[in-house]
Structure formats: structure tokens, C-alpha cells
Amino acid sequence: MNPSTDLCNKADRHPKAARAARDRVLARIGLDTVTAPVPHAMRPLPRLAPHLADTRRVDDPLAARFDTTLDADLQAQIEALVRTHAAAQPEGVSVAVMVADHQNGEIIARVGAPHYTDAAGALGFVDMTRAKRSPGSTLKPVIYALAFDRGLAHPETIFTDQPTRFGRYAPQNFDGYFRGDVTAREALTLSLNIPPVALTDALGPERLMATLRRFGAKPVLPGAAPGLAVALGGVGLSLEDMMMIYAGLAQLGNELTLTDVPMDISPGGQIIVPRAAWHVGDILRGIAPPADARAGLAYKTGTSYGHRDAWALGYDGQHVIGVWMGRPDGTPVPGAFGGDHAAPILFEAFGRLKPTYAPPPPPPPDTLIMTTADLPPNLRRFGARSGDQAAPRLVFPPDGAVLGQAETYLKVEGGTLPLTVLLNGAPVATGLRDRLVDIGRLGPGFARIAVVDAAGKSAHTEVEARP
């Protein structure tokens, strides 16, 4: 028998004797005027962050003490928030939330399930911050950031949202409707599916997967090689993975390690150029919030196929929060949408964290903020799948070349004229109809050179210029 349970049972059976014993002890320490009643039932043991405690114990079973970065008050508030929202959902639905400071990498709240039990069939012992699930549309910001980084598109580049077949793959929009000509900004705001799939086709799904890994995520593929379906959630990622990806976007494209163990976090490498990540954040801040929520948060929602997962992730100038909702066993939750169910939890979590949003960073100096008409001609409309013309190919300089400080010439083969040349993402020559291009002298250091043709197809090379 549990000793604490036995003592409480004796207090229940002999309350007068229990009170007399209690009073004798208090009298010995000088507290002989206590009138509070003797407890008549066991009080529950505190269980803040039980899933994290389990993980830490498994990692180091002999340790006598575990220090974490969690904020106990905030953890308790987020756990209560999760329980409230889970109670309004059908039986078996679980909710997980993470809160982190993307300035120092510390995870300050982590809730793996509403209850640390299997009550109501919710499999509460399963930590859903670590479970691999389909991220739905929450990867779209990464795709656009890569496209902006590589010079394939700009927020005001026009895409044609229409029925499109990519080989045997013919994605549809979630609501079944197509919008025609839209800018990249509008396409991401509306979470349309054709533009990000077209960008993934141009970038290559392998590049997207490599970028996710560089951010610290550990994606799991259903097959041996990634296909275009990864753009719309055809890959397994955990809430912990998604938090690291969004923290990296919030840090203007820098790799950031998130941790719940106190430690010094060293800055990571630059994964996406700052202006590309800033553009994405600027678009996400323009998405309308749920009713009665504060505007100004950069956020994105997602719903996986069959309504199995509802997501919402968002960040301001200091913090990033992620929300997942669904059934741990993977069965559908009919009618569950990221925008309707996960997003309100996201905004309420920010409300419990602080009264106002931290301001976003200013645009980097090389950010191009302009209308579609002011863009270089080849960035005004994305047409990577139009026509049969092969994509351009940079014959010289080859990838990884080391160049001197003399004039730099590009030799381009293929592609539809005219061409646009970008140096580190910024246009340096537009409207070119010659395939041998002088782009002048490169400054010392590494440089990324990209060529975009009139159809929106591109090629790039990375070189190093030395004195």
C-alpha cells in the first residue's frame, strides 16, 4: 500500500486523532493557534510537463535532478489552455503546444497532451510534441522563402492558379476552386496549392528536404525519395521539428537549435538569405487572425489530408509558438481545420505569454519592396511550366569555382530569352538577349549567381572570389 494513501485513509477514519496529532506537531514549532481543518483526502501530486519529465528520466535514469528551461507559471497556464480546448473536441482528440524564445533558443512551455492519462481515449501518455505527423500547408512558407532566396520569385510575382498536372500529380486547392492570376503574396495568404507545388517542381523536392534538415528537423518520408507531394504535407514532421523551422524563419533564415535543457546556444549558419525570410514574415503578418484576436502575428495554419492533423504556428519578434490538434492514433477528426481549431489556441497562447507582440525586425538593406510592374521583367510572372524550352544552364563559371578579381563573365546555354541575372538574390542585369554576360567584378568572398529566363526557369552557381 502507498504510505501517503494509508495515512490519508487513517485521517478519514479517525479525524479527531489525526487533528490532535497535527496540533501536537504544530505546537512544538510554536504554531498552537492553527484552526485549519485536517485534510480529508489526498491532494494530487504536481505534474507540470510530465512528458518532458518522462523523456529526461529515460535519457538519464540515474540522475537525481533535472533542470529545464521551462517557465513553471507559463507551463501551468498553457496546460490549462490545452485542457480547456481539448474538452470541447470529440472523444479521443489530443492537443499539443510548444512555446519558445527564438532569441536564445529556450523552450519555455511544452505540453504533449491535455491529460497524462488515457481518459476519454485520448492516449494522453503519448507526447504529441515529438510524434511525426503530416504538416499540411505549414511547409508553404519555407517553399516561398527558398524561391525568394533563389531568385525564382518575389512576393509580387504573378502565378497562374489553374488546374495543372505535374506528370501524374494533379493537386487541387483545399476548397476545390482556382483563382486565376494571383501574386505570390496572395497565393501564400490564401494557402493555394498550385503555386507552391510549381515552385517545388522548379526547386526540386530534394532541395526542400535538405533545407528542412538544415533547420534541424528530422523529416520522415513515406517512400524512398521525395516527390512533389511534400509541398502539401506528404512528409512526416513533429511539432518539435516545425518549431525549429519557424524559429529559423523568425531569425531571418538562420539555423536555431531549440532546447529545454539549460545550455549556451551558438548561432547557426545562414540557411535562407535574410531578405527572403523577411518577405515571408511580412506576408504571414498580413494573414487575418481569428475573430477577436490581435492582428500582427506572423502565422500559418495547416490541415492534413483527411482532417487528421490541424496545425497553427506563429512568431513575433521574440517568441514562436506551435499548436497541433488531432488523434494520436491517426484517425480523422471530421471538420477539424487548422484555421478554425488550432489558430485560436495559438493566439490565446500568445495572450497568456504577454500583452503585446514584440516588433518584427526591419527589412534587410537589400530587400526589394516594389510592385509587380516595377520588378525585373522575368520576375513579373512565374511560368516554369510553360512551353517546351529547356531550362537555362550556367556553363561558366561552374559551381564551386574560385575566381580572381577580374571581370566575371557568365556563359548561359538554353532557356527562353530575355534573361535576368541575380547576384546574391538581387538583380544586376535584366532584359538580356546575349548568352555571354559581363557582370563586372565580384567582391571578395562567396557569391550566389542565378539566371532566370522569360519562362521563370532558372539555374544558379555558387562561387568564391579571392584577391
Side-chain angles (χ1 to χ4, degrees), residues 84-333:
T84 298
H85 279 269
Q89 298 304 315
E91 182 176 337
V93 172
S94 185
V95 179
V97 177
M98 289 181 65
V99 184
D101 185 330
H102 62 73
Q103 296 291 342
N104 59 22
E106 291 185 351
I107 297 169
I108 53 178
R110 182 171 195 150
V111 182
H115 301 281
Y116 192 59
T117 69
D118 284 340
L123 300 178
F125 294 126
V126 179
D127 183 355
M128 295 308 297
T129 67
R130 303 178 191 273
K132 301 294 184 180
R133 308 292 292 221
S134 166
S137 294
T138 56
L139 287 184
K140 290 175 181 175
V142 183
I143 297 169
Y144 284 96
L146 275 173
F148 299 159
D149 179 16
R150 298 287 169 171
L152 289 177
H154 178 275
E156 307 309 324
T157 296
I158 294 175
F159 288 77
T160 301
D161 181 49
Q162 64 183 11
T164 306
R165 182 172 291 277
F166 301 85
R168 293 187 297 174
Y169 185 46
Q172 303 286 318
N173 285 326
F174 201 84
D175 59 7
Y177 294 96
F178 294 92
R179 271 73 172 182
D181 282 355
V182 293
T183 64
R185 181 182 300 276
E186 293 167 331
L188 179 52
T189 299
L190 295 172
S191 199
L192 302 181
N193 287 343
I194 300 300
V197 173
L199 287 172
T200 303
D201 188 39
L203 290 162
E206 296 85 359
R207 187 185 302 278
L208 174 58
M209 296 296 294
T211 301
L212 300 181
R213 293 187 181 99
R214 290 186 65 192
F215 274 124
K218 298 177 181 177
V220 175
L221 287 170
L228 295 180
V230 298
L232 305 182
V235 60
L237 289 162
S238 67
L239 178 58
E240 186 176 55
D241 292 329
M242 295 303 303
M243 285 285 289
M244 286 189 284
I245 293 167
Y246 273 68
L249 291 176
Q251 281 292 300
L252 295 183
N254 274 300
E255 177 189 1
L256 179 68
T257 299
L258 297 182
T259 179
D260 45 40
V261 179
M263 66 173 66
D264 293 329
I265 300 297
S266 301
Q270 192 76 45
I271 299 171
I272 294 172
V273 294
R275 66 175 172 277
W278 184 90
H279 273 311
V280 166
D282 183 56
I283 295 172
L284 297 183
R285 280 188 292 275
I287 297 176
D292 302 323
R294 288 178 287 147
L297 183 68
Y299 84 106
K300 183 72 182 74
T301 63
T303 306
S304 69
Y305 178 77
H307 301 272
R308 290 173 170 81
D309 308 274
W311 297 81
L313 292 110
Y315 56 88
D316 66 359
Q318 183 177 1
H319 294 97
V320 57
I321 298 180
V323 177
W324 172 88
M325 176 185 288
R327 287 193 169 99
D329 63 5
T331 55
V333 184

